[in-house]
Amino acid sequence: MDIETLAEGIIAGERRALARAITLVESGRADHRAAAAELLAKLPTDRQALRIGLSGTPGVGKSTFIESFGMMLTGQGERVAVLAVDPSSARSGGSILGDKTRMDRLSRDPNAFIRPSPSQTHLGGVARRSREAVRLCEAAGFDVVLIETVGVGQSETVVAEMSDVFVLLLAPAGGDELQGVKRGIMEIADLIVINKADGDLKSTAARTRADYAGALRLLRKRPQDPEGFPRATAVSALEENGLEETWAALQELTDWRREHGFWDRTRAAQARYWFEQDVKQRLLAQLETPQAKDDLTRLSDAVADGARDPAEAAAEFVRRLRAD
Amino acid sequence: MDIETLAEGIIAGERRALARAITLVESGRADHRAAAAELLAKLPTDRQALRIGLSGTPGVGKSTFIESFGMMLTGQGERVAVLAVDPSSARSGGSILGDKTRMDRLSRDPNAFIRPSPSQTHLGGVARRSREAVRLCEAAGFDVVLIETVGVGQSETVVAEMSDVFVLLLAPAGGDELQGVKRGIMEIADLIVINKADGDLKSTAARTRADYAGALRLLRKRPQDPEGFPRATAVSALEENGLEETWAALQELTDWRREHGFWDRTRAAQARYWFEQDVKQRLLAQLETPQAKDDLTRLSDAVADGARDPAEAAAEFVRRLRAD
């Protein structure tokens, strides 16, 4: 593969080149990693997309929302990329967004690019690959990058740390209980979108939106937010209602953050975060070699039997690791 | 310091030798670390205390409970050690249990040993030191080791991973809200003890106990529990009521676990856990040298400025670290 040609194709906004480049950054092979690093070094860093993190559990209508929201954006002339971050796909064998037919219209739109989640081994790897895929999309001139996750375990935090804004998609909930929200998610959401505000669920969706709006007002105001944020909106992805208001809210928020320096500050802090995470992950990757795994198992067994002390066995293991 | 003499003193149950040995394992100096390893290797491993993890936020009467509970145990001929695990003491400058006068009677009891939390830099270090202190107390022939924590951040998990049983101490709460319990703590608690069941709070304490007992019944039964556990009890540490019932519950639980193999299995799993934690911590300790910190700061600044890519900078950092 000619890296120079690939870089030119990406910069020209060619979707095929972009798809090939993402395949390259997703590969774990050493030569592919080296080629990916070379490629990334050749790409411009001055193109910035609006990175929108999007989380929602299965059943909230995430695919329908992404399709409707994406189509509205391309209709306004925006180029839209959709990436999935799914740490669970290694276990389940499948991947979210794997079935592009669920987003039939958007996937055929020339101004859209949809990329399913690769099969993964661990969240650290997912994070690096996804960040690099986001960078590739930005270099390819996309205006909006939607990074979606199903919200398993820590995946929302991972996505939030690579997004400019974070959207939580929820279904209408009966009663006045705020349901389905994992602890900590309310604190990272910039916008809560209640989907399915249509048909029988329309009034429930309105009430759910009001409930969340009330709950959000109880949270302490964050420095990176103007008045009125985080906000809750209600949409019908199916009937394509409320999408413009949601987009307007996102633009109001990001315009304010750009003006007040929070956009750049957040991206700088995220870069530091990923640097530190990468360093730690590279150090811990030493535990993943077959030799290291054998040693770990043997010593762990001895420790469990009481034959060895945990700290002393750990010291021996690390000594051997460095001697290699 | 003569390690052989120190080991003999500990095995003979001398409190001064134990205190000196704990100071040794708490030290970060390389020569002290080597001496501590030598000492631990000389100690018998066949003496097992009942390790009781105890968590409770300030204000629940933890010191009073430990004193009353400890005095009841020494009154029954048990030798009792009390250790504190407090990851926050480095920040606050103080340490829990620092004021031994709060446990005036217990600290003067010849069958008790109270050790304040050392000032700490990070939770990983606290964990290793505390585990080694527990081992020293066991080698010194203590029957019960109470490991207390204020429950800041992850400290309850750390204490639970070095305890045979975990006790959560709570104050009576008004209304039927279950308050003051961090998410996840209910899942690790073997016994919930409502303190201050005396005076005006007596009926509130009884109701709070019943509320928690009800909540515990809703949790899925864990394999390591007999019927009726986790359990909730109410005590008055001040009036010394309910302490025997609490002790009986702990004995019922641990007898069952010993009979059914869970005692040994838990200790083996904990040893594996600490081995793996120690390995990771030793690998990450490479980041703590002055040279590594300088490099990290310099590269992190370059990454935040956008001059360097996070993954590429991380790769360079780790390369340099290995070359040293």
Side-chain angles (χ1 to χ4, degrees):
Chain A
M1 192 182 310
D2 180 8
I3 297 300
E4 189 63 46
T5 312
L6 195 55
E8 282 164 14
I10 292 166
I11 294 167
E14 291 166 15
R15 293 198 296 180
R16 272 196 56 172
L18 177 60
R20 286 184 66 198
I22 294 180
T23 303
L24 188 66
V25 302
E26 283 172 358
S27 168
R29 268 175 52 182
D31 56 333
H32 288 172
R33 290 297 313 134
E38 191 189 335
L39 173 66
L40 289 166
K42 284 190 197 299
L43 296 176
T45 55
D46 56 343
R47 288 182 175 177
Q48 285 191 338
L50 170 59
R51 306 173 181 173
I52 304 176
L54 178 71
S55 174
T57 47
V60 300
K62 199 146 36 103
S63 301
T64 315
F65 175 79
I66 292 172
E67 171 144 281
S68 296
F69 192 67
M71 291 301 290
M72 177 205 65
L73 291 176
T74 58
Q76 298 185 8
E78 308 279 353
R79 295 186 67 215
V80 178
V82 182
L83 304 171
V85 172
D86 179 13
S88 67
S89 60
R91 269 168 286 156
S92 67
S95 70
I96 52 177
L97 281 178
D99 187 8
K100 275 201 194 179
T101 56
R102 290 184 307 155
M103 299 189 201
D104 191 37
R105 286 185 301 148
L106 192 63
S107 64
R108 287 184 286 111
D109 188 321
N111 283 316
F113 175 85
I114 301 181
R115 180 75 180 198
S117 182
S119 56
Q120 302 293 349
T121 49
H122 54 91
L123 195 55
V126 181
R128 185 190 48 71
R129 291 166 199 192
S130 303
R131 276 184 296 133
E132 291 177 355
V134 170
R135 263 205 66 198
L136 294 171
C137 293
E138 290 192 320
F142 282 89
D143 303 299
V144 175
V145 181
L146 268 167
I147 313 155
E148 76 144 309
T149 180
V150 285
V152 176
Q154 292 295 305
S155 72
E156 271 130 346
T157 310
V158 167
V159 169
E161 282 288 351
M162 61 180 78
S163 304
D164 300 311
V165 289
F166 193 83
V167 175
L168 179 63
L169 196 68
L170 295 172
D176 52 1
E177 277 283 336
L178 305 186
Q179 289 176 337
V181 179
K182 276 198 311 192
R183 209 179 176 87
I185 297 306
M186 289 286 275
E187 282 80 358
I188 61 172
D190 296 304
L191 198 63
I192 289 181
V193 177
I194 314 298
N195 192 19
K196 302 190 181 179
D198 44 48
D200 290 349
L201 287 172
K202 196 163 185 177
S203 63
T204 311
R207 203 167 52 240
T208 306
R209 191 209 67 77
D211 287 345
Y212 278 101
L216 287 171
R217 275 192 293 273
L218 297 178
L219 293 179
R220 190 167 34 176
K221 190 183 169 305
R222 305 176 302 181
Q224 70 270 32
D225 290 334
E227 274 311 315
F229 283 91
R231 189 176 291 179
T233 65
V235 305
S236 164
L238 199 66
E239 300 180 351
E240 302 181 4
N241 277 328
L243 299 171
E244 286 83 0
E245 290 90 324
T246 298
W247 178 231
L250 283 177
Q251 284 182 303
E252 180 186 337
L253 177 63
T254 52
D255 284 350
W256 190 90
R257 286 187 183 167
R258 278 185 202 271
E259 272 167 42
H260 292 79
F262 288 105
W263 175 285
D264 289 337
R265 221 176 295 166
T266 301
R267 288 216 168 183
Q270 288 176 344
R272 278 186 201 276
Y273 174 84
W274 289 117
F275 167 66
E276 284 160 24
Q277 291 297 113
D278 266 26
V279 164
K280 286 181 187 170
Q281 200 195 315
R282 279 166 194 271
L283 290 179
L284 296 177
Q286 298 173 73
L287 304 178
E288 302 297 326
T289 67
Q291 170 70 46
K293 281 184 177 171
D294 280 358
D295 273 8
L296 276 175
T297 305
R298 186 177 50 77
L299 285 167
S300 182
D301 288 348
V303 161
D305 289 348
R308 302 286 294 264
D309 172 74
E312 176 260 322
E316 183 193 305
F317 174 81
V318 173
R319 235 178 0 252
R320 287 165 57 101
L321 199 66
R322 291 196 187 143
D324 283 349
Chain B
M1 192 182 311
D2 180 9
I3 297 299
E4 189 63 46
T5 312
L6 194 55
E8 282 166 13
I10 292 166
I11 295 167
E14 292 166 14
R15 293 199 295 178
R16 273 199 52 173
L18 177 59
R20 286 184 65 197
I22 293 181
T23 302
L24 188 66
V25 301
E26 284 173 356
S27 169
R29 268 175 51 182
D31 57 332
H32 288 172
R33 289 298 314 135
E38 192 190 335
L39 173 66
L40 289 166
K42 284 189 196 300
L43 296 176
T45 55
D46 57 345
R47 289 180 174 178
Q48 285 190 339
L50 170 59
R51 305 171 182 175
I52 305 176
L54 177 72
S55 175
T57 46
V60 300
K62 199 149 34 108
S63 301
T64 315
F65 175 80
I66 292 172
E67 171 143 283
S68 295
F69 192 68
M71 291 301 291
M72 178 206 67
L73 291 174
T74 59
Q76 298 185 9
E78 308 280 353
R79 295 186 69 216
V80 178
V82 182
L83 304 171
V85 172
D86 178 13
S88 66
S89 60
R91 269 168 286 156
S92 66
S95 71
I96 52 176
L97 280 179
D99 185 9
K100 273 199 192 181
T101 56
R102 291 183 308 158
M103 298 189 200
D104 189 39
R105 287 185 300 150
L106 193 62
S107 64
R108 285 183 286 110
D109 188 321
N111 283 317
F113 175 86
I114 300 181
R115 180 73 179 198
S117 180
S119 55
Q120 302 293 351
T121 49
H122 54 93
L123 196 56
V126 180
R128 184 191 48 71
R129 292 166 199 193
S130 302
R131 276 184 294 132
E132 290 178 355
V134 169
R135 263 205 65 199
L136 294 170
C137 293
E138 290 192 318
F142 282 90
D143 303 298
V144 175
V145 180
L146 268 166
I147 313 156
E148 75 144 311
T149 181
V150 285
V152 176
Q154 293 295 306
S155 72
E156 270 130 346
T157 311
V158 166
V159 169
E161 282 288 350
M162 61 179 79
S163 303
D164 300 310
V165 289
F166 193 84
V167 175
L168 179 63
L169 195 68
L170 294 172
D176 51 1
E177 279 283 336
L178 304 185
Q179 291 176 335
V181 178
K182 275 197 311 191
R183 211 178 175 91
I185 298 305
M186 289 287 275
E187 282 79 357
I188 62 173
D190 297 304
L191 198 64
I192 289 179
V193 177
I194 313 298
N195 192 21
K196 303 190 181 179
D198 44 47
D200 290 349
L201 288 171
K202 196 163 184 175
S203 63
T204 309
R207 204 167 51 239
T208 305
R209 191 210 67 76
D211 286 344
Y212 278 101
L216 288 171
R217 275 191 295 271
L218 298 178
L219 293 179
R220 191 166 33 174
K221 193 184 166 305
R222 305 175 303 182
Q224 71 269 31
D225 290 334
E227 273 311 315
F229 281 92
R231 189 176 291 178
T233 65
V235 306
S236 164
L238 198 68
E239 299 179 351
E240 301 181 6
N241 277 328
L243 299 171
E244 287 83 358
E245 290 88 326
T246 298
W247 178 231
L250 284 177
Q251 285 182 302
E252 181 186 336
L253 177 63
T254 51
D255 285 350
W256 189 89
R257 286 188 182 166
R258 279 183 200 275
E259 274 168 40
H260 293 80
F262 288 104
W263 175 284
D264 289 339
R265 221 176 295 167
T266 300
R267 287 215 169 185
Q270 289 176 344
R272 279 187 202 276
Y273 173 83
W274 289 118
F275 167 65
E276 283 159 25
Q277 291 296 112
D278 267 25
V279 164
K280 286 178 188 172
Q281 199 194 316
R282 279 166 195 271
L283 290 180
L284 295 179
Q286 298 173 73
L287 304 179
E288 302 296 325
T289 65
Q291 170 71 47
K293 281 183 177 173
D294 279 357
D295 274 7
L296 276 175
T297 305
R298 187 176 49 78
L299 286 167
S300 183
D301 288 348
V303 161
D305 290 347
R308 302 285 295 263
D309 173 74
E312 177 262 321
E316 183 194 304
F317 174 82
V318 173
R319 237 180 357 254
R320 286 165 59 99
L321 199 67
R322 289 193 188 145
D324 284 348

